[in-house]
Amino acid sequence: MQRRQSSKTPKQSLQVHHKNQTDLSAWRKGGTTDSEKRVQDPQSSNDQKNDSKEDSLEQALSYFEKVQDRDSLKKSSVLQKHLATVESIALQRGLPPEGFNVLLNVALSGKLADTVNTRLLKSLIPASVIPETSVVSAVSWLCVSKCSSNIQLLFLRWLITVFDFIDHKEKLHAMYGFFFSFLQDEKLCPYVCHLLYLLTRKESVKPFRIRRLLDLQAKMGMQSHLQALLSLYKLFCPELVTITLPGKMKNYFKNSEGPWKAAINAVRRRNQQDSPVSQQLFLGTAQPQSRKRKWNTQLVIPASSTNRSNLEEDSKKSRVDLYSANETFPVEQLQTFPQLLQNIHRLEFPSQMGSVLTNPLLLHYMNCIKDESIYLRLYYWMGQTLQEECTWCVADNSQYEEEFKDFLGTIYKTECFLQEGFPSCEEFLYKSLPLWDGSCCRSQILRLVSWIPLSNFSEMKSHLYDPLAQLFFTSSLYFKCSVLESLKELLQNWLTWHVIQLDSESDTRVPSSNTTLSGLVNTVAELINFVGWISTVALRLEKKSTFLLYFILNFYEAVCDMYLRYNLPLLIMPPAGVFYPALLSMDSVSLNQLCYIMYRYRTNLVAAKENEQSKKKILQFKFSSQTYQQYNQYIVAMVGCLWTSTAFQKDIHPQGLRMDEELLKKTAVQEFKTSFNIVYHPAMMGFAVLFLQQVCPEDTTFNFSLIKGKMWNWYLEYLYTQGLKGLKVFIESSINRVSQASHSEAGD
């Protein structure tokens, strides 16, 4: 890195900004100040036992503030003592805000050896917030030739990790050009890009910066961190960035968190146990907050991004000048929907993007204002948090499963609100499903699966279908039903997205690059075929479970209506391994469901055939003759079973019921031909018994042969009154009844 010389002396840089400091003595007592005494933890008196350690911290900070000579760590016992004190207190409780100015300045001033500076930087664990002035003062040391490149790199990594802990960021935004100038250092470039990615606003995008990034890309090649910054620039100013960039969100940046992330989480948990108000102090809010970990603390809009003392003044001013183009409206003041409408073009989203998930007003804003930078920032934050905090990916996180469930549930609710899935969730699912045991956070994970955006089949097969199938076949019946329900919702979400695209082709927020109609048809077809395959196997494994069959038929209720209801030129019949178990089911609900599904298949196929013949096609696709052929085979089997009692003779499906009469006679069933009509069918026999009890109460033999002629018609009407609407529409649409009298004559 080229360093610009500054007239600033080290002595000046090490001055402590006392006006921005908090009361160290209050921090020593457990983090209570005058404004917090009313909510003080009754157990805070226990912190008095640590007074000696906190006195040592004051001495250590005083020592590092005044240190001038380049002391050797091995030879100076005083340095060893104070360094160990800082490390111990930082790991145990975190450092108070005023400690950062002292430690950052001494670490970046080059007064001490790199070994000491490295340990100091790794000890910068915040107990609450980090003053922006301390960070600005530390950044100024990068202008002079004092610290080594390794220390500079470590400082940038720390700054990225604790970015959301900085109380204000206006001065950091003002230093955007300063950070941008460091891109020329190849070693620092990935981390500088990461920091710029967090700081970038629309006004940050300038033509000369785009040219500089393009020059660096030409020099270094297609680096992911450069692509990330260029992608963000293109979202803000597409007219300035004309090159083609990868459309799908990836993990653009290296992991910058080093030793700080785990230490921050440990300090947060320890402080929450010691004091119930630590959470609200950390967020700078007056309302009590839930004791949650990082993912849930970031779901609340922090008041730290705006000067709280000026909020009331800004609010009054905003009522006078609501539409000023030069001012932003802080989201902390956004309380009502009218406020959102009045200030919709002046909102600036918080640095902690996780707070958007639980704010309905900001979600409404995202739906109305198609600002891709907001989505990109949210995707990045969510992807990082999901992968790093995943319960079954991080061994020591198992005890926080409930909190992780809440976080996943919040994401699912947000996806439902926005009616689209997050690419970062898709990436998380693809990476974690192979490691998932199918038990931890089951309902939350399967709900997220239902919002996976459209992708090409090869990607979904390897990342979704294959790991899901392994869990599906080896898990319980209830897990199988949950998976089928999730895949049904996934299909419906895809189909609904397709309808929305037809209604509004101007929508640019597309879940994936696979947006063509042929791509959609192929992807949906593969999903249906996948469900058909696992359903066939599952019915064999679960011995034709009625409970499982219900969820399978629910899925095909969505499939059978895709042409008319969703304008998708695709119909796929259920496999024989699903159709025949449903047809021969002993449960009337399954049989009724199958009848309704076949009725809707017929309605859709007739409409498609009419469109083809009249040349008034809605879409440019034709159903294959195989679809019509398979439907006809199934109809022959159903009518033969339920109505004409000829299924064993006329069923022509390769996996159907056709059997030789001699073989049937060996079964010793007397009336084998009528075994599956609407009277003798195992699923319908209960209705036949109840019907005979009403019609012939004196007959206790239950002679089913009496149900013929006029009584056959009465029996049908009786079935219709029992809620078998599927059976009713199937018979009326698919069975040609010449006349009511024909049955009477046949009976006579």
Side-chain angles (χ1 to χ4, degrees):
M1 176 192 299
Q2 294 182 356
R3 304 181 182 87
R4 294 187 290 275
Q5 297 295 329
S6 172
S7 59
K8 176 181 176 181
T9 63
K11 183 176 181 180
Q12 290 173 323
S13 67
L14 288 173
Q15 291 177 351
V16 180
H17 299 269
H18 297 284
K19 63 180 181 180
N20 291 325
Q21 292 181 6
T22 59
D23 188 357
L24 182 59
S25 62
W27 173 83
R28 292 175 52 199
K29 300 297 183 183
T32 57
T33 60
D34 291 340
S35 62
E36 300 150 15
K37 288 180 179 179
R38 63 182 181 275
V39 290
Q40 184 175 8
D41 192 335
Q43 297 181 356
S44 61
S45 60
N46 295 334
D47 295 336
Q48 300 294 334
K49 300 177 181 179
N50 297 325
D51 279 350
S52 59
K53 286 188 177 181
E54 285 136 6
D55 289 337
S56 300
L57 179 61
E58 289 185 10
Q59 297 174 9
L61 292 178
S62 177
Y63 168 80
F64 284 116
E65 183 179 1
K66 298 175 182 178
V67 67
Q68 294 293 336
D69 299 329
R70 192 180 179 90
D71 292 339
S72 171
L73 181 61
K74 294 182 179 179
K75 297 180 181 179
S76 175
S77 59
V78 177
L79 176 58
Q80 293 177 9
K81 172 187 173 183
H82 291 314
L83 182 58
T85 298
V86 170
E87 291 176 327
S88 174
I89 296 296
L91 291 176
Q92 182 180 2
R93 299 188 57 188
L95 297 176
E98 63 272 17
F100 289 92
N101 190 73
V102 174
L103 298 178
L104 280 171
N105 280 327
V106 71
L108 296 175
S109 64
K111 290 182 177 182
L112 302 175
D114 276 5
T115 303
V116 179
N117 295 333
T118 298
R119 290 175 61 178
L120 285 175
L121 286 175
K122 290 183 177 181
S123 301
L124 297 180
I125 310 300
S128 55
V129 296
I130 300 174
E132 182 188 32
T133 53
S134 300
V135 178
V136 172
S137 177
V139 170
S140 65
W141 281 105
L142 301 180
C143 300
V144 296
S145 302
K146 294 295 183 179
C147 59
S148 66
S149 59
N150 289 333
I151 297 299
Q152 293 172 358
L153 178 61
L154 191 62
F155 169 70
L156 288 176
R157 292 177 58 194
W158 172 82
L159 185 57
I160 293 167
T161 303
V162 301
F163 185 82
D164 286 336
F165 293 79
I166 302 173
D167 57 357
H168 308 291
K169 298 185 176 65
E170 290 305 314
K171 293 180 181 178
L172 285 179
H173 283 294
M175 302 177 71
Y176 190 92
F178 175 79
F179 290 117
F180 193 89
S181 65
F182 293 156
L183 287 175
Q184 60 190 351
D185 190 306
E186 293 188 10
K187 186 177 181 180
L188 299 180
C189 184
Y191 302 100
V192 173
C193 283
H194 195 165
L195 181 59
L196 292 174
Y197 187 93
L198 298 175
L199 290 172
T200 297
R201 297 173 174 174
K202 187 171 184 178
E203 58 267 23
S204 307
V205 182
K206 305 292 183 182
F208 75 90
R209 288 175 179 158
I210 295 174
R211 289 195 296 269
R212 180 58 179 159
L213 289 176
L214 293 176
D215 291 342
L216 288 173
Q217 185 169 268
K219 177 183 177 182
M220 301 180 182
M222 296 289 288
Q223 300 295 324
S224 60
H225 49 275
L226 295 175
Q227 291 179 20
L229 204 51
L230 283 171
S231 298
L232 191 57
Y233 281 11
K234 188 169 185 175
L235 290 174
F236 280 123
C237 300
E239 70 281 1
L240 296 180
V241 184
T242 58
I243 65 171
T244 301
L245 296 169
K248 187 174 181 180
M249 183 65 183
K250 297 180 179 179
N251 292 327
Y252 287 128
F253 304 109
K254 298 178 179 179
N255 188 342
S256 306
E257 295 172 342
W260 302 287
K261 178 66 176 300
I264 289 173
N265 287 337
V267 168
R268 176 81 59 78
R269 295 193 297 270
R270 193 175 296 113
N271 288 346
Q272 287 173 356
Q273 294 172 358
D274 294 340
S275 171
V277 302
S278 60
Q279 188 83 348
Q280 66 187 65
L281 300 181
F282 177 80
L283 293 172
T285 58
Q287 296 81 8
Q289 305 295 340
S290 171
R291 294 191 190 183
K292 299 294 181 183
R293 300 186 69 212
K294 173 189 172 184
W295 48 74
N296 286 333
T297 59
Q298 291 190 341
L299 301 184
V300 181
I301 299 177
S304 59
S305 60
T306 303
N307 192 335
R308 294 183 60 85
S309 63
N310 295 329
L311 288 182
E312 183 177 355
E313 179 183 350
D314 291 344
S315 179
K316 295 178 180 178
K317 185 176 180 180
S318 66
R319 287 194 290 268
V320 177
D321 185 14
L322 293 174
Y323 300 100
S324 174
N326 297 324
E327 297 180 5
T328 59
F329 185 85
V331 294
E332 296 87 347
Q333 298 181 17
L334 188 62
Q335 301 294 331
T336 64
F337 197 76
Q339 278 185 320
L340 173 65
L341 297 179
Q342 292 170 349
N343 301 279
I344 196 167
H345 295 295
R346 301 197 296 124
L347 284 178
E348 180 179 352
F349 269 55
S351 298
Q352 296 181 0
M353 287 301 295
S355 60
V356 177
L357 299 181
T358 55
N359 191 308
L361 294 176
L362 294 183
L363 294 178
H364 277 299
Y365 176 88
M366 292 179 65
N367 260 339
C368 298
I369 305 298
K370 298 173 183 178
D371 188 344
E372 286 294 340
S373 64
I374 295 176
Y375 280 85
L376 200 60
R377 287 176 59 196
L378 183 61
Y379 296 161
Y380 168 72
W381 170 83
M382 190 179 299
Q384 293 288 105
T385 306
L386 281 170
Q387 193 59 39
E388 293 156 8
E389 307 294 348
C390 177
T391 303
W392 55 89
C393 291
V394 182
D396 61 349
N397 276 3
S398 57
Q399 57 181 314
Y400 305 105
E401 180 179 337
E402 290 302 320
E403 296 177 12
F404 191 57
K405 284 182 179 179
D406 293 341
F407 179 57
L408 296 181
T410 301
I411 295 177
Y412 172 73
K413 292 177 183 177
T414 305
E415 291 180 324
C416 293
F417 187 97
L418 298 175
Q419 286 295 291
E420 64 177 276
F422 295 134
S424 49
C425 284
E426 176 190 16
E427 194 77 18
F428 161 73
L429 290 171
Y430 287 171
K431 288 184 177 180
S432 59
L433 280 179
L435 306 174
W436 185 40
D437 61 1
S439 176
C440 179
C441 307
R442 175 189 299 176
S443 61
Q444 290 78 18
I445 291 298
L446 293 179
R447 286 176 180 175
L448 292 181
V449 167
S450 68
W451 280 107
I452 290 180
L454 281 167
S455 304
N456 60 73
F457 171 70
S458 60
E459 184 175 19
M460 296 198 72
K461 182 180 185 303
S462 58
H463 293 100
L464 176 64
Y465 296 154
D466 289 348
L468 206 56
Q470 293 180 7
L471 288 170
F472 184 85
F473 294 137
T474 57
S475 298
S476 67
L477 170 65
Y478 300 101
F479 180 83
K480 292 181 176 69
C481 296
S482 299
V483 170
L484 290 170
E485 181 68 16
S486 176
L487 294 178
K488 184 201 74 172
E489 293 178 0
L490 175 63
L491 174 63
Q492 289 178 328
N493 289 334
W494 285 356
L495 296 174
T496 302
W497 173 84
H498 170 62
V499 172
I500 294 174
Q501 291 298 103
L502 291 178
D503 293 339
S504 176
E505 296 182 356
S506 61
D507 190 356
T508 57
R509 284 191 279 110
V510 179
S512 74
S513 59
N514 188 9
T515 59
T516 64
L517 182 58
S518 61
L520 173 66
V521 169
N522 292 335
T523 304
V524 170
E526 295 297 345
L527 172 61
I528 297 172
N529 291 331
F530 171 73
V531 173
W533 169 60
I534 63 173
S535 299
T536 301
V537 178
L539 285 172
R540 295 174 183 171
L541 293 175
E542 301 296 340
K543 299 179 180 179
K544 308 298 186 294
S545 166
T546 301
F547 188 64
L548 177 64
L549 188 58
Y550 171 80
F551 286 90
I552 295 172
L553 294 178
N554 266 355
F555 179 85
Y556 280 98
E557 278 192 24
V559 175
C560 68
D561 236 354
M562 291 190 300
Y563 181 72
L564 290 179
R565 187 174 181 182
Y566 298 101
N567 289 329
L568 188 70
L570 177 67
L571 280 180
I572 297 178
M573 303 300 298
V578 170
F579 173 79
Y580 284 102
L583 177 60
L584 304 180
S585 172
M586 299 184 68
D587 180 66
S588 60
V589 174
S590 299
L591 183 61
N592 185 64
Q593 253 186 307
L594 179 65
C595 289
Y596 176 78
I597 289 171
M598 296 305 295
Y599 160 72
R600 292 308 303 170
Y601 270 120
R602 181 183 188 279
T603 305
N604 281 258
L605 289 171
V606 168
K609 179 63 71 174
E610 290 176 351
N611 286 335
E612 292 176 9
Q613 293 176 350
S614 63
K615 298 182 180 179
K616 294 180 180 179
K617 295 174 290 186
I618 301 175
L619 301 168
Q620 299 178 353
F621 291 82
K622 293 183 179 180
F623 296 147
S624 67
S625 59
Q626 183 179 0
T627 302
Y628 291 102
Q629 179 183 359
Q630 190 175 15
Y631 170 79
N632 290 333
Q633 290 174 344
Y634 286 167
I635 284 296
V636 169
M638 286 190 70
V639 174
C641 274
L642 301 177
W643 197 261
T644 63
S645 302
T646 58
F648 296 118
Q649 292 79 31
K650 294 186 177 181
D651 190 352
I652 59 175
H653 193 279
Q655 300 177 11
L657 302 176
R658 186 181 182 91
M659 298 175 66
D660 293 334
E661 187 168 347
E662 294 182 359
L663 181 60
L664 289 169
K665 290 179 180 179
K666 293 180 181 180
T667 62
V669 177
Q670 295 181 357
E671 300 293 338
F672 59 82
K673 291 184 178 181
T674 60
S675 296
F676 292 102
N677 67 17
I678 58 174
V679 177
Y680 292 92
H681 194 292
M684 308 301 294
M685 193 173 293
F687 293 105
V689 170
L690 294 175
F691 173 74
L692 288 175
Q693 285 179 342
Q694 294 183 19
V695 176
C696 306
E698 69 284 352
D699 186 4
T700 59
T701 60
F702 300 119
N703 186 3
F704 294 151
S705 62
L706 296 175
I707 304 178
K708 60 182 178 179
K710 291 182 179 180
M711 194 175 291
W712 179 277
N713 294 329
W714 297 345
Y715 178 60
L716 282 180
E717 295 300 328
Y718 172 78
L719 292 177
Y720 299 161
T721 62
Q722 300 305 305
L724 300 177
K725 303 300 182 183
L727 179 67
K728 180 177 185 293
V729 294
F730 173 76
I731 290 177
E732 292 177 348
S733 63
S734 300
I735 296 178
N736 183 18
R737 302 179 63 189
V738 177
S739 66
Q740 297 293 336
S742 62
H743 287 281
S744 300
E745 294 173 359
D748 295 340

Coordinates of all heavy atoms in Angstrom, one line a residue, residues 501-537:
Q501 N -45.9 -13.3 -13.6 CA -45.0 -12.9 -14.7 C -45.9 -12.6 -16.0 O -45.6 -11.7 -16.7 CB -44.0 -14.0 -15.0 CG -42.9 -14.1 -13.9 CD -42.1 -12.8 -13.7 OE1 -42.3 -12.1 -12.8 NE2 -41.2 -12.5 -14.6
L502 N -46.9 -13.4 -16.2 CA -47.8 -13.2 -17.3 C -48.5 -11.9 -17.2 O -48.7 -11.2 -18.2 CB -48.8 -14.4 -17.5 CG -48.2 -15.8 -17.9 CD1 -49.3 -16.8 -17.9 CD2 -47.5 -15.7 -19.2
D503 N -48.9 -11.6 -16.0 CA -49.7 -10.4 -15.8 C -48.8 -9.1 -15.8 O -49.3 -8.0 -16.2 CB -50.4 -10.4 -14.4 CG -51.5 -11.5 -14.4 OD1 -52.0 -11.9 -15.5 OD2 -51.9 -12.0 -13.3
S504 N -47.6 -9.3 -15.4 CA -46.7 -8.1 -15.3 C -45.3 -8.5 -15.7 O -44.5 -9.0 -14.9 CB -46.7 -7.5 -13.9 OG -45.8 -6.4 -13.8
E505 N -45.0 -8.3 -17.0 CA -43.7 -8.7 -17.5 C -42.7 -7.7 -17.2 O -41.5 -7.9 -17.5 CB -43.8 -8.9 -19.0 CG -44.7 -10.0 -19.5 CD -44.7 -10.2 -21.0 OE1 -44.1 -9.5 -21.7 OE2 -45.4 -11.2 -21.4
S506 N -43.0 -6.6 -16.6 CA -42.1 -5.5 -16.3 C -41.3 -5.8 -15.0 O -40.4 -5.0 -14.6 CB -42.8 -4.2 -16.2 OG -43.8 -4.2 -15.2
D507 N -41.7 -6.8 -14.3 CA -41.1 -7.1 -13.0 C -39.7 -7.6 -13.2 O -39.5 -8.6 -13.8 CB -41.9 -8.1 -12.2 CG -41.4 -8.3 -10.8 OD1 -40.4 -7.6 -10.4 OD2 -42.0 -9.0 -10.0
T508 N -38.7 -6.9 -12.7 CA -37.3 -7.2 -13.0 C -36.7 -8.1 -11.9 O -35.6 -8.6 -12.0 CB -36.4 -6.0 -13.1 OG1 -36.6 -5.2 -11.9 CG2 -36.9 -5.2 -14.3
R509 N -37.4 -8.2 -10.7 CA -36.9 -9.0 -9.6 C -37.2 -10.4 -9.9 O -38.2 -11.0 -9.4 CB -37.4 -8.5 -8.3 CG -36.8 -7.3 -7.8 CD -37.2 -7.0 -6.4 NE -38.5 -6.4 -6.3 CZ -39.5 -7.0 -5.8 NH1 -39.5 -8.2 -5.4 NH2 -40.7 -6.4 -5.7
V510 N -36.4 -11.1 -10.7 CA -36.7 -12.5 -11.1 C -35.9 -13.4 -10.1 O -34.7 -13.2 -9.9 CB -36.3 -12.7 -12.5 CG1 -36.5 -14.2 -12.9 CG2 -37.1 -11.8 -13.4
P511 N -36.5 -14.5 -9.6 CA -35.8 -15.3 -8.7 C -34.5 -16.0 -9.3 O -33.6 -16.3 -8.6 CB -36.8 -16.4 -8.3 CG -38.1 -15.7 -8.6 CD -37.9 -14.8 -9.7
S512 N -34.5 -16.3 -10.5 CA -33.3 -16.9 -11.1 C -33.3 -16.5 -12.6 O -34.2 -15.9 -13.1 CB -33.4 -18.4 -11.0 OG -34.3 -19.0 -11.8
S513 N -32.2 -17.0 -13.3 CA -32.1 -16.7 -14.7 C -33.0 -17.5 -15.6 O -33.1 -17.3 -16.8 CB -30.6 -16.8 -15.1 OG -30.2 -18.2 -14.9
N514 N -33.5 -18.6 -15.0 CA -34.4 -19.5 -15.7 C -35.8 -19.0 -15.8 O -36.7 -19.3 -15.1 CB -34.4 -20.9 -15.1 CG -35.1 -21.9 -15.9 OD1 -35.4 -21.7 -17.1 ND2 -35.3 -23.1 -15.3
T515 N -36.0 -18.0 -16.8 CA -37.3 -17.3 -16.8 C -38.1 -17.6 -18.1 O -39.2 -17.2 -18.2 CB -37.1 -15.8 -16.8 OG1 -36.3 -15.4 -17.9 CG2 -36.4 -15.4 -15.4
T516 N -37.5 -18.4 -19.0 CA -38.3 -18.7 -20.2 C -39.4 -19.7 -19.9 O -39.3 -20.5 -19.0 CB -37.3 -19.3 -21.3 OG1 -36.8 -20.5 -20.8 CG2 -36.2 -18.3 -21.6
L517 N -40.4 -19.7 -20.8 CA -41.5 -20.6 -20.6 C -41.1 -22.1 -20.7 O -41.5 -22.9 -20.0 CB -42.6 -20.3 -21.6 CG -43.9 -21.1 -21.5 CD1 -44.5 -21.0 -20.1 CD2 -44.9 -20.7 -22.6
S518 N -40.2 -22.3 -21.7 CA -39.8 -23.7 -21.8 C -38.9 -24.1 -20.6 O -39.0 -25.3 -20.2 CB -38.9 -23.8 -23.1 OG -37.8 -23.0 -23.0
G519 N -38.1 -23.2 -20.1 CA -37.4 -23.5 -18.9 C -38.3 -23.8 -17.7 O -38.1 -24.7 -16.9
L520 N -39.4 -23.0 -17.6 CA -40.3 -23.2 -16.5 C -41.0 -24.6 -16.6 O -41.1 -25.3 -15.7 CB -41.3 -22.1 -16.5 CG -42.5 -22.3 -15.5 CD1 -42.0 -22.2 -14.1 CD2 -43.6 -21.2 -15.7
V521 N -41.4 -24.9 -17.9 CA -42.1 -26.2 -18.1 C -41.2 -27.3 -17.8 O -41.6 -28.3 -17.1 CB -42.6 -26.2 -19.6 CG1 -43.1 -27.6 -19.9 CG2 -43.7 -25.2 -19.8
N522 N -40.0 -27.3 -18.2 CA -39.0 -28.4 -17.9 C -38.8 -28.5 -16.4 O -38.7 -29.7 -15.9 CB -37.7 -28.1 -18.7 CG -37.9 -28.2 -20.2 OD1 -38.8 -28.9 -20.7 ND2 -37.0 -27.6 -20.9
T523 N -38.6 -27.4 -15.7 CA -38.3 -27.5 -14.3 C -39.5 -28.0 -13.5 O -39.4 -28.9 -12.6 CB -37.9 -26.1 -13.8 OG1 -36.8 -25.6 -14.5 CG2 -37.5 -26.2 -12.3
V524 N -40.7 -27.5 -13.9 CA -41.9 -28.0 -13.2 C -42.1 -29.5 -13.5 O -42.5 -30.3 -12.6 CB -43.1 -27.2 -13.6 CG1 -44.4 -27.8 -13.1 CG2 -43.0 -25.8 -13.1
A525 N -41.9 -29.9 -14.7 CA -42.0 -31.3 -15.1 C -41.1 -32.2 -14.3 O -41.5 -33.3 -13.8 CB -41.8 -31.5 -16.6
E526 N -39.9 -31.8 -14.1 CA -38.9 -32.6 -13.3 C -39.3 -32.7 -11.9 O -39.2 -33.7 -11.2 CB -37.5 -32.0 -13.5 CG -36.9 -32.0 -14.9 CD -36.7 -33.4 -15.4 OE1 -36.8 -34.4 -14.6 OE2 -36.5 -33.6 -16.6
L527 N -39.9 -31.6 -11.3 CA -40.4 -31.7 -10.0 C -41.5 -32.7 -9.8 O -41.5 -33.5 -8.9 CB -40.8 -30.3 -9.5 CG -41.5 -30.2 -8.1 CD1 -40.6 -30.7 -7.0 CD2 -42.0 -28.8 -7.9
I528 N -42.5 -32.6 -10.8 CA -43.6 -33.5 -10.7 C -43.1 -35.0 -10.9 O -43.6 -35.9 -10.2 CB -44.6 -33.2 -11.8 CG1 -45.2 -31.8 -11.5 CG2 -45.8 -34.2 -11.9 CD1 -46.1 -31.2 -12.6
N529 N -42.2 -35.2 -11.8 CA -41.7 -36.6 -12.0 C -41.0 -37.1 -10.7 O -41.0 -38.2 -10.4 CB -40.8 -36.6 -13.2 CG -41.5 -36.4 -14.5 OD1 -42.7 -36.8 -14.6 ND2 -40.9 -35.9 -15.5
F530 N -40.2 -36.1 -10.1 CA -39.5 -36.5 -8.8 C -40.5 -36.9 -7.7 O -40.3 -37.9 -7.1 CB -38.7 -35.3 -8.4 CG -38.0 -35.5 -7.0 CD1 -37.0 -36.4 -6.8 CD2 -38.5 -34.8 -5.9 CE1 -36.4 -36.6 -5.6 CE2 -38.0 -35.0 -4.7 CZ -36.9 -35.9 -4.5
V531 N -41.6 -36.1 -7.6 CA -42.6 -36.4 -6.6 C -43.3 -37.8 -6.9 O -43.6 -38.6 -6.0 CB -43.6 -35.3 -6.4 CG1 -44.7 -35.7 -5.5 CG2 -42.9 -34.0 -5.9
G532 N -43.5 -38.0 -8.2 CA -44.2 -39.3 -8.6 C -43.3 -40.5 -8.2 O -43.8 -41.5 -7.8
W533 N -42.0 -40.3 -8.4 CA -41.1 -41.4 -8.1 C -41.0 -41.7 -6.6 O -41.1 -42.8 -6.2 CB -39.7 -41.1 -8.7 CG -38.6 -42.0 -8.2 CD1 -38.5 -43.3 -8.4 CD2 -37.5 -41.6 -7.4 NE1 -37.4 -43.9 -7.8 CE2 -36.7 -42.8 -7.2 CE3 -37.0 -40.5 -6.9 CZ2 -35.5 -42.9 -6.5 CZ3 -35.8 -40.5 -6.2 CH2 -35.1 -41.7 -6.0
I534 N -40.8 -40.6 -5.8 CA -40.7 -40.9 -4.4 C -42.0 -41.3 -3.8 O -42.0 -42.1 -2.8 CB -40.1 -39.6 -3.6 CG1 -41.1 -38.4 -3.8 CG2 -38.7 -39.3 -4.1 CD1 -40.7 -37.3 -2.9
S535 N -43.1 -40.9 -4.4 CA -44.4 -41.3 -3.9 C -44.7 -42.8 -4.1 O -45.2 -43.5 -3.3 CB -45.5 -40.5 -4.5 OG -45.4 -39.1 -4.2
T536 N -44.3 -43.2 -5.3 CA -44.4 -44.7 -5.6 C -43.6 -45.5 -4.7 O -44.2 -46.5 -4.1 CB -44.0 -44.9 -7.1 OG1 -44.8 -44.1 -8.0 CG2 -44.2 -46.4 -7.5
V537 N -42.4 -45.1 -4.4 CA -41.5 -45.9 -3.5 C -42.1 -45.8 -2.1 O -42.1 -46.8 -1.4 CB -40.1 -45.4 -3.6 CG1 -39.2 -46.2 -2.6 CG2 -39.5 -45.6 -5.0

